[in-house]
Amino acid sequence: MALSLDESAVVRDGSPALPSAAALELRAVEKRYPGQRRPALAALSLLVPAGEVCVLVGPSGSGKTTAMRLINRMIPLSGGDILIGGRSILDSTPTELRRQIGYVIQQVGLFPHHTVRQNIATVPRLLGWERRRIDARVDELLELVGLDHDELGRRYPSQLSGGQQQRVGVARALAADPPLLLMDEPFGAIDPINRTRLQDEFLRLQERVRKTVVFVTHDIDEAIKMGDRIAVLREGGHLAQFATPAELLSSPADQFVADFVGADRALKRLGLVRLADVELDPPDQWPQPDERLPLDTTAREALARMLSAGGAPLGVADEHGSVVGIVTIALIGRLFSRVEDGRPPESRRGPPPEPNR
Amino acid sequence: MNHVLLASAAPIIPKSLLGNPDSYACERANRLFCWGWLSRNWGSVLWPALRQHVVITLIAVGLGFAIASSLAVLAHRYRRVEQPVVVVTTIFYTIPALALFEILVAVPGFGLSLTTAETALVSYTLLIIFRNTLTGLREVPADVREAAAGMGMSRWQVLARVELPLALPAIIAGVRIATVSTIALATIAALIVNEGLGVPILTAISESTFKTELIAAGVLAVALAVAADALLVGLQRLMTPWARAT
Amino acid sequence: MHVFIDAFRFIARNGQIPGQPHLTTLSYYSLETAKIAAYAMAISIAIALPIGLWLGHIHRGSFVAINAGNVWRALPSLAVLAIGVAFLGLGVANVLLALVVLAVPPILTNAYVGIDQVDPTVVDAARGQGLTGWQVLREVELPLAVPLVMAGVRTAALFVISTTTIAALTGYAGSLGEIINDEATYHLSGVLGAAICIAALALAVEVLLAGVQRALTPAPLRSRRGGVIETLPVGWIAAAAAPGRLTHKGQEET
Ligand SMILES: Nc1ncnc2c1ncn2[C@@H]1O[C@H](COP(=O)(O)OP(=O)(O)O)[C@@H](O)[C@H]1O
Ligand SMILES: [Mg+2]
């Protein structure tokens, strides 16, 4: 499946070949809204390597949406420049540009009068693809976002749940295989349980499509979970820190970032460590525990599970179900103090596996 | 054919009201309603009047729709357009029909013509269709518009592919009101042109004693309005399948 | 264009034509038109408003209340008047009856829709604070429904004035329509003059009622741009025939 996606990134008729992901560079970007004294964004510079997820996080009004809308020219730049794959966004017309950038917004904005399939086909149709190619692409995307069942494609948006609507929103944004994806609080209106599910799904999807993604959120936990790199914005659009999640948690640049990240940042760092990357106690050292955690469980979640299990150690099982180690509160405690010292735990970020269905 | 229709309806109607199609006893007795008159005059009076009424209405609503919806699209794009259009169309809407007809007749180039009648009827449709279309366009959810623009639709593509289709229910609601009220108002156009269901009504008024013609034409006008409304409801259901999805 | 000039001369002479001193004056006809319209409106409001408001308050009878408005629109007023006159004979009372029949539906429908559509959470909050049904109607629903209720009254008023003049065609002599119906006496300039008077009367009533509506509307609900013309008499039409709000959000996934 991933293969065929990569192919479709190369096969193009007419339009110039797009890479499946492109680096994004913001150079001293400035935005002043007419009639406002203070700029909404002042000299923002960012470099997002191709295929990475960059999260813009910050309190409400800090200019996250503004930054995003500047990139696809929904609003004009007041100063600076933005480059996608080395080309200035000012070199193409806004409509041309936008057709090459996926755009997902919080309220989804699906067309109520179009079916799911028609919604997903929007940009390919604007680009004048031929019918069969569009149909094939829509099938592929429905499969990609897990909506390829129950005739969901023929439904209208009003017949979908909120989570399904946002999946369609993501599929629609990916339809023409754009090298860059902009997502403005995409899961902000979804209940916590489904938000987690959508986040996991998106990370798995990103593993396959490897787009350059700009992801806006005001939720630091979501930022840490989703981002390869996080840009923390402060009121007035000032960049407070631009760092990997681990760096952000271990060494916040200033008091603002420290406050924003939260007093429990050490605990949050545990959320970046997976049991697979931790030296577990050998299985024979403890009596066989009843409960088993998968290897990709984060240290933070393991701690929570143990606490709710009365502090008892838990087994850790690999994908075949055989116990490969034991996790204890003491073990997490040692990990925690290392984290507190600011030494980054060796973490290998990756998408969570398919949940058991 | 009409004889057949009426004959089949005959058994359920009391004898006293029916009369014999070939005798004028009913008319002479000045009854409330004479089926005999109806069957004799359907082809020569009522049917042509009905057909003319349909044509008058179609022209008025068609022109009114073309003008008002264009103005609404313009006002949607350029806010400044709204206020003057609303002022002018409200004034038209406010002027009583009889007065507007007479004022137009006096305008050079109009006189007692179909143009005069249609101009008055069109002017009554403008406010409603304009208002509904503009409201429909403005009520398109902001996120849908944002998504459309964000995917690279030009302004006209957003209008044609997203805003107008989504405004359809409101637009058709406006056209329904305009159509039904035009059918009712068009009876007064008979003062100006000798066409439509207003003709038998005015004839009956001037003859003052005979009621069948009046009742028949009045009922036909109402029936036409109801039928047109039902047709438009059907059209709307056909054109907006998504509105029925739950 | 000189016919328009003559028409204004006719208005300036208060409807008198040289050599015919016995003619009824224009101001008399205008006053009579306003009077019968006012009577018809008073009766119609007295009948329709309480019923509509009450039905809206108890959220019952939507079928009747809304369809009254829909059927009403299809009624050709000329035919209604003529049938009324044909069966009941000509007279002020019968013309009045026809006018009331035509004015009740828009007032009723709008009063119903106006109250019925008041945000239920607001009504709920009011009840929750211990307001009685009557207090809820008076303190909450009525103020919030003013724009729609008044739109119905204004629509009816315009319709009544229009129909009062049309009544002349059926033989009723107490309105400005009488001049329009008598071109032989008044010539084209007189007919046009009367038509202009009718138009002016209707516009004046419309502006007046818009002002009343504005005064009755709670300040925060008034349109910011403030023009009288902003508050249109077609509100009830939109209310009765508008589609439901466009929604496309599904319920949350569970
Ligand atoms: N269209 C606009 N006109 C004027 N000011 C705006 C507009 N959009 C946003 N702003 C202002 O710019 C600042 C940043 O807004 P925004 O980018 O929406 O923040 P965020 O998405 O981080 O909440 C805010 O102070 C906001 O009031
Ligand atoms: Mg925002």
Side-chain angles (χ1 to χ4, degrees):
Chain A
M1 200 62 239
L3 257 181
S4 75
L5 266 175
D6 291 343
E7 275 162 17
S8 72
V10 182
V11 181
R12 298 243 172 259
D13 40 354
S15 51
L18 291 171
S20 77
L24 170 71
E25 188 180 356
L26 273 64
R27 283 191 188 156
V29 164
E30 185 185 303
K31 177 64 190 178
R32 278 170 200 282
Y33 285 106
Q36 293 208 340
R37 275 173 153 259
R38 287 188 349 144
L41 277 184
L44 178 66
S45 295
L46 289 178
L47 180 63
V48 186
E52 280 202 6
V53 178
C54 169
V55 176
L56 298 182
V57 70
S60 179
S62 56
K64 308 180 295 290
T65 298
T66 300
M68 176 151 293
R69 287 163 59 84
L70 284 170
I71 297 171
N72 64 355
R73 294 186 68 181
M74 295 295 280
I75 46 176
L77 277 168
S78 309
D81 198 2
I82 297 176
L83 294 92
I84 299 172
R87 267 184 78 203
S88 167
I89 56 167
L90 300 171
D91 289 350
S92 21
T93 65
T95 53
E96 273 169 19
L97 178 77
R98 291 174 197 159
R99 289 172 193 182
Q100 299 176 11
I101 299 178
Y103 191 42
V104 183
I105 55 179
Q106 179 178 339
Q107 308 84 345
V108 198
L110 293 183
F111 299 153
H113 61 307
H114 283 175
T115 62
V116 167
R117 293 191 69 94
Q118 288 172 321
N119 264 289
I120 296 176
T122 304
V123 178
R125 281 219 303 256
L126 287 172
L127 293 172
W129 290 16
E130 58 180 63
R131 245 195 94 98
R132 263 186 301 150
R133 185 170 167 213
I134 293 178
D135 282 344
R137 180 63 180 157
V138 171
D139 287 334
E140 196 178 349
L141 285 157
L142 282 172
E143 191 272 338
L144 189 71
V145 298
L147 292 176
D148 52 338
H149 53 87
D150 290 348
E151 300 296 315
L152 277 172
R154 278 198 232 145
R155 292 209 198 157
Y156 288 104
S158 62
Q159 297 168 308
L160 302 181
S161 70
Q164 289 172 326
Q165 289 183 18
Q166 197 49 285
R167 287 186 186 94
V168 177
V170 172
R172 182 171 71 169
L174 289 170
D177 204 24
L180 175 64
L181 196 58
L182 305 179
M183 306 177 83
D184 192 352
E185 308 205 19
F187 312 135
I190 314 261
D191 67 275
I193 292 174
N194 279 291
R195 189 186 311 149
T196 307
R197 192 181 291 169
L198 283 167
Q199 288 167 346
D200 294 344
E201 274 177 22
F202 182 74
L203 287 173
R204 273 198 300 280
L205 186 148
Q206 167 66 358
E207 269 298 286
R208 287 166 68 175
V209 300
R210 289 262 174 230
K211 297 291 168 195
T212 309
V213 180
V214 179
F215 189 108
V216 164
T217 179
H218 59 253
D219 175 359
I220 186 68
D221 291 312
E222 186 172 56
I224 291 167
K225 178 172 182 181
M226 306 305 285
D228 293 309
R229 244 169 250 267
I230 299 174
V232 184
L233 291 182
R234 175 184 11 234
E235 304 284 335
H238 298 288
L239 183 62
Q241 189 166 7
F242 187 42
T244 64
E247 278 165 19
L248 197 70
L249 290 173
S250 58
S251 38
D254 57 19
Q255 196 55 42
F256 171 80
V257 179
D259 289 345
F260 193 75
V261 168
D264 60 343
R265 62 194 163 88
L267 208 54
K268 282 185 176 129
R269 289 196 71 196
L270 287 179
L272 294 175
V273 184
R274 297 191 183 279
L275 294 182
D277 306 321
V278 176
E279 202 175 307
L280 300 166
D281 290 354
D284 48 10
Q285 205 171 319
W286 295 91
Q288 198 68 281
D290 297 337
E291 224 185 314
R292 290 164 195 193
L293 303 171
L295 265 172
D296 69 300
T297 310
T298 64
R300 185 178 181 173
E301 201 188 328
L303 178 65
R305 295 286 285 272
M306 280 186 287
L307 289 175
S308 58
L314 299 177
V316 180
D318 63 14
E319 57 265 44
H320 309 299
S322 52
V323 176
V324 297
I326 303 289
V327 59
T328 65
I329 291 201
L331 188 146
I332 302 284
R334 290 198 298 279
L335 206 60
F336 186 79
S337 54
R338 255 176 51 205
V339 163
E340 268 294 66
D341 292 345
R343 273 179 291 138
E346 299 71 42
S347 88
R348 194 187 64 223
R349 289 180 49 76
E354 295 279 338
N356 317 325
R357 297 194 194 247
Chain B
M1 184 204 101
N2 299 309
H3 278 286
V4 177
L5 226 160
L6 290 165
S8 67
I12 54 164
I13 294 158
K15 263 248 140 52
S16 58
L17 285 177
L18 251 180
N20 178 348
D22 302 321
S23 102
Y24 293 80
C26 174
E27 278 93 329
R28 274 197 295 272
N30 196 18
R31 293 232 169 79
L32 283 183
F33 195 80
C34 299
W35 287 99
W37 180 89
L38 197 61
S39 55
R40 260 181 275 112
N41 292 279
W42 173 266
S44 58
V45 178
L46 291 174
W47 176 240
L50 182 63
R51 267 193 348 231
Q52 290 157 0
H53 209 84
V54 170
V55 172
I56 291 173
T57 306
L58 279 178
I59 294 174
V61 176
L63 280 178
F65 176 74
I67 297 170
S69 57
S70 312
L71 286 172
V73 165
L74 215 61
H76 181 49
R77 183 87 158 70
Y78 308 99
R79 255 203 127 81
R80 276 168 306 155
V81 175
E82 183 189 0
Q83 186 84 356
V85 173
V86 167
V87 171
V88 172
T89 54
T90 303
I91 290 173
F92 274 127
Y93 185 84
T94 305
I95 298 176
L98 196 62
L100 185 57
F101 279 120
E102 294 297 346
I103 292 172
L104 281 176
V105 166
V107 174
F110 280 78
L112 295 174
S113 68
L114 189 63
T115 317
T116 307
E118 291 292 1
T119 306
L121 292 175
V122 164
S123 69
Y124 284 115
T125 66
L126 295 180
L127 178 60
I128 292 158
I129 299 178
F130 175 79
R131 206 56 222 213
N132 269 43
T133 305
L134 187 58
T135 307
L137 289 173
R138 287 198 178 145
E139 282 197 350
V140 170
D143 56 313
V144 172
R145 208 174 278 133
E146 165 91 4
M151 280 186 289
M153 288 191 185
S154 67
R155 261 185 210 276
W156 287 110
Q157 282 171 329
V158 174
L159 181 73
R161 298 185 185 201
V162 178
E163 292 175 327
L164 279 175
L166 287 178
L168 261 183
I171 295 173
I172 296 181
V175 172
R176 279 173 61 194
I177 296 164
T179 306
V180 170
S181 23
T182 300
I183 290 172
L185 267 177
T187 52
I188 300 172
L191 283 176
I192 296 184
V193 280
N194 213 24
E195 285 186 27
L197 289 166
V199 176
I201 293 176
L202 285 179
T203 313
I205 289 172
S206 61
E207 286 169 6
S208 84
T209 52
F210 187 61
K211 295 149 195 155
T212 302
E213 198 168 9
L214 178 61
I215 295 174
V219 168
L220 273 180
V222 174
L224 180 62
V226 171
D229 198 48
L231 212 67
L232 285 167
V233 171
L235 184 72
Q236 173 177 341
R237 288 178 67 88
L238 216 66
M239 290 176 81
T240 60
W242 68 88
R244 271 174 292 145
T246 45
Chain C
M1 275 326 252
H2 74 274
V3 64
F4 276 91
I5 296 166
D6 287 346
F8 282 108
R9 284 211 186 101
F10 173 82
I11 295 172
R13 287 195 311 265
N14 198 12
Q16 295 304 297
I17 291 174
Q20 292 182 278
H22 62 280
L23 286 180
T24 319
T25 61
L26 201 50
S27 51
Y28 172 81
Y29 275 131
S30 299
L31 212 62
E32 284 300 297
T33 308
K35 224 155 70 182
I36 191 162
Y39 287 149
M41 282 304 292
I43 298 170
S44 305
I45 289 174
I47 297 171
L49 208 54
I51 300 177
L53 294 179
W54 184 247
L55 286 177
H57 179 66
I58 60 173
H59 302 282
R60 295 265 167 77
S62 67
F63 185 81
V64 174
I66 292 194
N67 282 293
N70 286 339
V71 170
W72 167 81
R73 220 178 287 125
L75 289 179
S77 49
L78 180 60
V80 171
L81 279 167
I83 290 172
V85 169
F87 287 108
L88 303 173
L90 191 61
V92 178
N94 297 337
V95 171
L96 212 51
L97 181 68
L99 292 178
V100 169
V101 165
L102 291 168
V104 160
I107 300 174
L108 180 78
T109 302
N110 253 40
Y112 172 81
V113 174
I115 298 287
D116 185 56
Q117 55 86 55
V118 170
D119 184 354
T121 60
V122 175
V123 174
D124 220 44
R127 275 193 214 291
Q129 287 172 316
L131 273 69
T132 65
W134 167 246
Q135 285 168 330
V136 168
L137 181 61
R138 205 188 50 198
E139 306 284 332
V140 180
E141 292 176 327
L142 212 46
L144 292 177
V146 164
L148 275 178
V149 174
M150 277 304 294
V153 171
R154 288 160 68 184
T155 307
L158 288 184
F159 204 71
V160 162
I161 293 174
S162 175
T163 307
T164 308
T165 55
I166 290 172
L169 302 181
T170 65
Y172 175 68
S175 80
L176 281 166
E178 179 63 13
I179 298 178
I180 290 180
N181 209 21
D182 191 2
E183 195 179 334
T185 309
Y186 292 97
H187 313 296
L188 188 55
S189 57
V191 169
L192 184 58
I196 292 170
C197 284
I198 295 169
L201 181 67
L203 285 169
V205 168
E206 170 60 13
V207 170
L208 183 82
L209 288 179
V212 172
Q213 170 174 342
R214 210 174 149 67
L216 290 179
T217 307
L221 297 183
R222 281 177 208 156
S223 81
R224 263 159 291 114
R225 287 198 275 157
V228 181
I229 224 84
E230 271 290 290
T231 53
L232 290 172
V234 286
W236 81 279
I237 289 166
R245 273 193 61 81
L246 301 163
T247 56
H248 61 289
K249 295 250 151 66
Q251 69 287 17
E252 287 298 337
E253 205 173 44
T254 47

